[in-house]
Amino acid sequence: MKEPIVRARDIRKSFGHLEVLKGISLDINAGEVACLLGPSGSGKSTFLRCMNHLEKIDGGQLWVQGERIGYRRSGNKLHELKEHETAKQRASIGMVFQQFNLFPHRTALENVIEGPTVVQRIPKEQAVEEGRQLLARVGLADKADHYPGQLSGGQQQRVAIARSLALKPSVMLFDEPTSALDPELVGEVLDVMRSLADSGMTMIVVTHEMGFAKEVGNVVHFMADGQLVESGDPHQVLEDPREPRTQAFLSKVLA
Amino acid sequence: MTLYTATEEEQNLSIVPARYRGRWVMAGVVVLGVALMAYGMVTNQRFQWGTVGEYLFAAPVLAGLGNTLMLTAVSMAIGIVLGIAVAVCRLSPNPILSSAAWAYSWFFRGTPLMVQLLFWFFMAALIPKLVLGVPFGPSFFEISTNTLISPFTAAILGLSLNEGAYMGEIVRSGIRAIPVGQTEAAKAMGMTRLQTMRRVILPQAMRVIIPPTGNETIGMLKYTSLVIVIGYSELLTSVSIIYSRTFQTIPLLIVAALWYLAVTAVLSVGQYYVERHFERGFTPMKAAKALPKTAANALSKSGLPPASSASLATVSGPAEELEKAK
Ligand SMILES: Nc1ncnc2c1ncn2[C@@H]1O[C@H](COP(=O)(O)OP(=O)(O)O)[C@@H](O)[C@H]1O
Ligand SMILES: [Mg+2]
């Protein structure tokens, strides 16, 4: 069997006395789209942020593409990596945020080439050329010279996706990418994500878009209270959930 | 459902902006008041405008002005660089750096500038020799403090180290004004802390940092007169030397004031352009620059009634895409 792209084993995380992740284990295979569902505060964002070491885990182990994230093991000890080593690992893990977090002082194109030129030190001309192709891919070729403040929410999120893709990541993390959008702008972002999935990108998507999860997702993981409650085929989990907590959540969401 | 269609009469209604007649009255009162004051000053013999004119461009005054400008420019430049370093250290996760930065701010903000100037100037009396070498071991290099510390270097050290402490707080508040999402996005892209600072945080923080830095620069222009205590000469020193000899105190103080005002005016203009530079991406006006030139110009210069400029905005891009998305 092939090595999974993401391998999480018993991930634990607390903020002070609050235990937010109580031992999460899951595998995500190459080309898989995994949707993460669960009530607010169940730890979905925290889990995603652990995957690129934006949060330090308190326990468990995590590998992305066979590489241990955030630590180096020697004997019985896990030594935390230095800043530049963590930074290097992060560059191959794309992340898209609910609030887009584009750099407002840079145009769409400048946002997209920032990673390649600053982090990967790719020559500027090459980065610009690839950046324009990426903007075209998310349908924004004509917006290259616009500042984020001149773009709609949906357009900003598409630029943010292009910005992550510019680093040629092996996996993309999405944290509620459409939750901050006006309803009529959700579709354009989901379209981009769907075509990204079709191109074979491995994706972990925290979302409340049930339609997207069923149509594009290969697997749904349902989280509650920092635990993985139920995992499986999207249609099975969303239409015929086995666990009472999943049932309770879905009945509230779909009501 | 039937749609309402405006009648021709309704379509031809024209809009008249609100008029503020009180403003004209106020302006008149202000202009009159200023004119009276100016007249009073110009015609008052005791202001000795002739003497003012005589000394305005006098060589010692211009030399003093040159020194003032140089002290201000050099001290501010060093102060800003120090301030950025102090702020970045203060916010560093490294406890040694952050407490060192805190201690620096505490010391240099907590002691009078004049004391600091005198301290640097008299350093030679306290520490006669500066030695580079291994502690308690051989020394490689020795220099007498007196040759190193002239009134000029003492003035620069005093002014810029003091300024660095204040600038540190200004830069820190600017950095803290940037939403954490910006740092998160930069980190997630694989930027290091320094790259994040340089490429993402500081360029945005400049919008917050520039106005108080303008204040600091204008303040520094006048604080430089404190260097009189260590015998370095600048604008105010130069005129005071003249009036202590000629007893024309008022006109010479006017000469100094006129120069300070002129330099402040120039600095304010400079500040306007620096502010505009860092507004990139933040204001709608600046945003118009990225739009096709013609449409942007038409928008700002046409003075067309609201309806027609709105249709121009649709041609120019973002609005159009928004329409499509809907
Ligand atoms: N930096 C933090 N400090 C303290 N508590 C936090 C922090 N981040 C998240 N939490 C808490 O952890 C819990 C899980 O948060 P989160 O992962 O954002 O949940 P979700 O994304 O599923 O809504 C919440 O109770 C939240 O208040
Ligand atoms: Mg969340």
Side-chain angles (χ1 to χ4, degrees), chain A residues 26-59:
Chain A
L26 52 76
D27 283 349
I28 288 157
N29 295 313
E32 200 169 62
V33 176
C35 292
L36 216 53
L37 255 68
S40 175
S42 56
K44 306 178 299 288
S45 297
T46 307
F47 180 60
L48 228 51
R49 292 160 55 80
C50 286
M51 283 203 226
N52 59 5
H53 206 58
L54 279 181
E55 300 289 359
K56 287 178 197 173
I57 55 177
D58 299 329

Side-chain angles (χ1 to χ4, degrees), chain A residues 11-23 40-44 46-47 50 55-59 224-227:
Chain A
I11 304 294
R12 291 172 184 279
K13 173 73 191 176
S14 301
F15 291 112
H17 292 298
L18 180 70
E19 197 177 10
V20 175
L21 298 177
K22 301 171 181 169
S40 175
S42 56
K44 306 178 299 288
T46 307
F47 180 60
C50 286
E55 300 289 359
K56 287 178 197 173
I57 55 177
D58 299 329
D225 296 326
Q227 288 166 322

Side-chain angles (χ1 to χ4, degrees), chain A residues 49 83 106 147 150 155, chain B residues 184 193 199 280 287 321:
Chain A
R49 292 160 55 80
E83 190 200 2
R106 301 198 188 283
Y147 287 96
Q150 300 170 294
Q155 292 170 338
Chain B
E184 300 240 298
R193 231 180 67 83
R199 304 281 313 171
R280 184 167 121 88
E321 184 69 15

Side-chain angles (χ1 to χ4, degrees), chain A residues 28 74 141 149 156 160 165-166 169 184 191 219-220 247:
Chain A
I28 288 157
S74 66
Q156 288 188 55
L165 289 175
E184 79 270 23
D191 284 346
V219 56
V220 162
Q247 291 163 0

